[in-house]
Amino acid sequence: MPPAERQHLLGTQDSPLRQVYTGDMGGFSELPVIRKDPADLSVTPNLADYAATRADFTWETAESWLDGLPDGGFNIAYEAVDRHVTAGRGDHVALRCLDKAGAVTDVTYAHLQTETNAFANALRSLGISPGQRVFSLVGRVPALYTAVLGTLKARSVFAPLFSAFGPEPVKQRVVIGGGVAIVTTTALYRKKIAPVRDEMPTLAHVILLDDGPADDIPGAIRFEELMAGQSREFPIEPTGREEMALLHFTSGTTGTPKAAVHVHGAVVAHYATGHFALDLHPDDIYWCTADPGWVTGTSYGIISPLTHGLTMIVDEGEFDARRWYRTLAEQRVTVWYTAPTAIRMLMRAGPDVAAEYDLSSVRFVASVGEPLNPEAVVWGREVLGLTIHDNWWQTETGGIMIANYASADVFPGSMGRPMPGIIAGILQRGEEGRAAAGPDGHVVELGPGEVGELALRVGWPSMFRGYLDADDRYRKCFVDGWYRTGDLAQRDENGYYWFVGRADDVIKTAGHLIGPFEVESVLMEHPAVAEAGVIGVPDPMMGERIKAFVSLKPGTTTDPAVLRKELTAHARRRLGPAVAPREIAFSENLPKTRSGKIMRRLLRARELGLPEGDLSTLEGGDK
Ligand code: ATP
Ligand code: MG
């Protein structure tokens, strides 16, 4: 770490999470606060003064930053593509696509405009109407972007799937969404769609991106052929803000995935959150590593960056530490949006690999999806020379709600502060462990330092408008004008939010309420630990006792019995005996969703011999 940076690492707090392990067992120092001075930043941040921006902001102002359709309303694809061409930036590269072998194809905004127009015409030529659902089951290839944005232009609804899903998860989702078309490849079709095709009666069209044999595929049509005959003009019809645009399935971390409905008006929030939370500027080279099957892959892997008119890296390859560092270095990426699981994989690969690459172009790094353990933030500073800015949101919120900003101090372990335009609160929980209204019909908001359910005041543009076919479930998400997120958190005296755990995952042990994240973060401070998942196991004395599942860094040779003792001692010292795990099991990999979230419910079900529940999103599961 350069000496100048060291001076920025100041500050002290009381909570155990706010200390950092210094390398010797038992050696701790106060967790560094990463102080920021906007004057030090190479690019003037979009949000320079949090309080002032928040005070001035209205969603009407954010709307005025977009163009709107010439005939009224908002269409996501118009804001993402056409308006840049109208503004004379058609020659700017929108997508820089890297294929698996590393070959580069550039797509300009002008080209993206005509391609998406042709795709919109193509859907109409197939008889697909506004409101009908088009699915995708494909990796990050250029045609995917044409399909997503062309579908939105045609006012049909886009529903992305992970290409790694097996037949069952594909079927479940296409059936829930009533999909009429799917964009895929012949190989993916044969493996994942053919076995369940008969069970998806609405699926009439299969749009194939390659030229493999397809004579036996009902409704097959080649993307190239479909596009060839189409006009490159497509006047977007007036699109209502409340028209359904996207159908996103949640990650399935806590149970069966839900189909969240999003509307075209959400684009106002996609733009504003990219502006404030990711600090996007039109000359940025931006890279979002999320899979297109996950909401992040659409909101921040397609829509938000393109509404800013920047150049986006589209990498078809899967995670590989060297490939990723090379991409950052060679493509001169300036803004990088990734996930804790990826950062922990880079940590596993070790500092020497990072040292081989020049990351000097990167000015802003953000992470989402799971709690970002403080150790990872400290690692980012020390090994990459970069501050990793955690931010928080959900499929249901459609966009970033709580964030660490380029210009603002970062407290490692905190997910930051609410976006301008977003009112967050910590609500008192009722008997079922969720925020509940009291006899007077109102909820109680808790103050700093108190743990409760994280909630958001309803009414931001990208708020989901329903769970498809699950109205009751949707209604239950709201109480007294608040959206209940299902996550527990606390706010500190500076207004920063700290994630405690999902309401379903918190552990009640000997009268304490414990978030798994706190225990996991402490275990990950140990040099041998790569990842940890912590659950509560029923216990006659304590209610629940804490059990940790730990995966080790490669090359760890310490005897497990010794390591277990070390980890127990470390956790007891850091967390106290009541909160330290009573049991530690080593496992090569922890069960995760395809978006990289540890599935604690599955660790628990397996531990207790209970039914495993919905496994459709399990990584490495049903292929
Ligand atoms: P399901 O709702 O099906 O159980 P999921 O909640 O994992 O799945 P997503 O919408 O992809 O589906 O994930 C949102 C959740 O991810 C949040 O509610 C939160 O629990 C977690 N999360 C996201 N970002 C963060 C973060 N920065 N820190 C902590 N947790 C986060
Ligand atoms: Mg959820």
Side-chain angles (χ1 to χ4, degrees):
M1 182 171 31
E5 278 305 331
R6 236 175 237 291
Q7 295 170 12
H8 290 272
L9 306 180
L10 308 161
T12 57
Q13 307 286 338
D14 299 325
S15 137
L17 257 187
R18 297 180 188 185
Q19 295 183 330
V20 70
Y21 177 53
T22 54
D24 321 309
M25 287 308 295
F28 301 102
S29 63
E30 295 300 324
L31 192 62
V33 176
I34 301 171
R35 298 279 181 212
K36 304 274 198 64
D37 180 347
D40 290 347
L41 302 174
S42 56
V43 170
T44 308
N46 292 327
L47 184 153
D49 176 335
Y50 178 76
T53 309
R54 207 174 146 76
D56 287 350
F57 180 87
T58 65
W59 287 110
E60 288 71 34
T61 312
E63 253 190 60
S64 72
W65 295 337
L66 295 175
D67 288 0
L69 286 171
D71 293 331
F74 276 97
N75 184 295
I76 292 175
Y78 182 83
E79 304 301 333
V81 185
D82 298 33
R83 73 181 187 121
H84 306 304
V85 183
T86 308
R89 295 186 80 242
D91 290 341
H92 198 75
V93 173
L95 314 175
R96 167 154 292 184
C97 306
L98 316 180
D99 74 6
K100 285 192 178 142
V104 178
T105 315
D106 283 348
V107 179
T108 63
Y109 278 94
H111 189 63
L112 194 58
Q113 179 181 42
T114 51
E115 289 295 284
T116 50
N117 285 349
F119 194 82
N121 284 318
L123 292 184
R124 293 288 168 86
S125 74
L126 293 174
I128 296 173
S129 354
Q132 288 195 308
R133 283 82 196 236
V134 176
F135 278 71
S136 68
L137 183 77
V138 68
R140 293 180 210 88
V141 293
L144 171 72
Y145 300 81
T146 303
V148 175
L149 295 160
T151 302
L152 295 173
K153 282 189 172 180
R155 295 166 48 229
S156 298
V157 176
F158 197 80
L161 300 177
F162 279 92
S163 56
F165 275 159
E168 267 310 302
V170 170
K171 184 198 76 185
Q172 269 180 16
R173 288 164 180 73
V174 172
V175 167
I176 292 177
V180 295
I182 193 159
V183 178
T184 188
T185 63
T186 47
L188 286 168
Y189 181 89
R190 295 205 186 278
K191 251 170 106 179
K192 286 121 190 272
I193 302 174
V196 287
R197 179 71 190 268
D198 292 348
E199 298 165 65
M200 300 184 288
T202 55
L203 191 65
H205 310 283
V206 179
I207 303 172
L208 296 166
L209 299 183
D210 61 324
D211 55 5
D215 289 349
D216 58 329
I217 301 179
I221 175 139
R222 308 271 183 206
F223 178 77
E224 295 287 326
E225 283 169 31
L226 181 65
M227 296 284 280
Q230 305 299 337
S231 156
R232 261 50 191 169
E233 303 279 317
F234 185 87
I236 303 176
E237 298 142 8
T239 310
R241 280 156 216 254
E242 290 300 310
E243 267 186 41
M244 196 193 298
L246 299 158
L247 196 58
H248 279 301
F249 292 84
T250 62
S251 292
T253 316
T254 53
T256 307
K258 298 145 274 186
V261 171
H262 288 283
V263 296
H264 276 277
V267 68
V268 175
H270 293 142
Y271 182 89
T273 51
H275 180 77
F276 291 130
L278 300 179
D279 197 35
L280 300 180
H281 288 69
D283 50 2
D284 272 321
I285 309 284
Y286 166 85
W287 187 26
C288 169
T289 59
D291 190 282
W294 180 36
V295 66
T296 307
T298 305
S299 291
Y300 298 99
I302 305 179
I303 300 170
S304 176
L306 293 179
T307 59
H308 284 269
L310 50 70
T311 298
M312 192 167 94
I313 302 296
V314 172
D315 179 19
E316 196 189 350
E318 292 305 320
F319 176 84
D320 173 82
R322 282 208 154 72
R323 183 187 170 99
W324 276 31
Y325 284 132
R326 195 168 55 240
T327 301
L328 289 168
E330 283 178 4
Q331 299 303 331
R332 308 301 295 157
V333 170
T334 57
V335 179
W336 180 33
Y337 196 19
T338 189
T341 178
I343 292 163
R344 292 197 286 263
M345 285 196 280
L346 293 176
M347 290 169 78
R348 261 195 213 209
D352 297 348
V353 183
E356 290 171 31
Y357 300 87
D358 168 14
L359 305 180
S360 61
S361 61
V362 183
R363 75 158 209 282
F364 189 75
V365 186
S367 157
V368 71
E370 270 228 305
L372 183 65
N373 49 307
E375 193 70 8
V377 180
V378 172
W379 177 87
R381 280 250 45 102
E382 290 183 348
V383 175
L384 305 181
L386 295 165
T387 301
I388 305 170
H389 300 78
D390 187 20
N391 60 48
W392 176 97
W393 60 290
Q394 307 180 306
T395 309
E396 289 86 345
T397 70
I400 299 169
M401 297 284 112
I402 296 180
N404 284 291
Y405 304 92
S407 60
D409 295 347
V410 170
F411 297 81
S414 164
M415 49 200 193
R417 289 174 292 176
M419 283 273 310
I422 297 300
I423 298 170
I426 301 291
L427 305 186
Q428 192 172 61
R429 293 172 307 140
E431 275 169 17
E432 287 173 19
R434 299 287 306 271
D440 62 353
H442 295 301
V443 294
V444 175
E445 265 196 82
L446 301 176
E450 294 185 282
V451 175
E453 184 166 356
L454 175 62
L456 305 165
R457 203 92 208 156
V458 298
W460 68 98
S462 63
M463 191 180 91
F464 70 137
R465 300 299 200 269
Y467 288 130
L468 208 61
D469 296 338
D471 288 347
D472 238 27
R473 203 167 175 181
Y474 182 68
R475 268 195 300 276
K476 284 195 185 130
C477 295
F478 299 92
V479 59
D480 193 19
W482 293 89
Y483 163 64
R484 311 188 296 170
T485 68
D487 285 344
L488 303 189
Q490 65 183 94
R491 185 178 53 231
D492 67 17
E493 52 297 333
N494 300 320
Y496 279 67
Y497 283 71
W498 299 74
F499 183 81
V500 171
R502 293 161 182 270
D504 291 3
D505 287 342
V506 284
I507 303 163
K508 287 171 215 87
T509 185
H512 299 271
L513 180 79
I514 294 169
F517 170 46
E518 183 166 13
V519 183
E520 290 162 7
S521 292
V522 163
L523 291 171
M524 281 188 276
E525 289 170 351
H526 189 282
V529 175
E531 275 191 310
V534 165
I535 61 167
V537 179
D539 182 281
M541 296 293 290
M542 295 181 268
E544 283 184 302
R545 69 176 182 280
I546 298 181
K547 174 157 187 176
F549 295 82
V550 165
S551 76
L552 299 175
K553 290 198 181 133
T556 306
T557 49
T558 319
D559 180 327
V562 174
L563 204 51
R564 192 171 285 118
K565 270 202 188 133
E566 261 185 45
L567 281 172
T568 306
H570 173 60
R572 287 180 152 245
R573 209 171 304 130
R574 292 283 277 116
L575 298 163
V579 182
R582 296 287 158 131
E583 282 177 65
I584 297 178
F586 296 110
S587 93
E588 203 170 313
N589 281 307
L590 301 176
K592 284 195 195 145
T593 65
R594 296 202 180 279
S595 41
K597 296 161 193 276
I598 297 170
M599 289 170 104
R600 294 175 191 82
R601 71 167 159 100
L602 191 54
L603 285 172
R604 198 160 189 277
R606 287 179 178 167
E607 178 68 21
L608 305 181
L610 300 171
E612 296 197 337
D614 187 298
L615 297 186
S616 62
T617 60
L618 179 64
E619 179 191 55
D622 184 359
K623 284 215 172 169

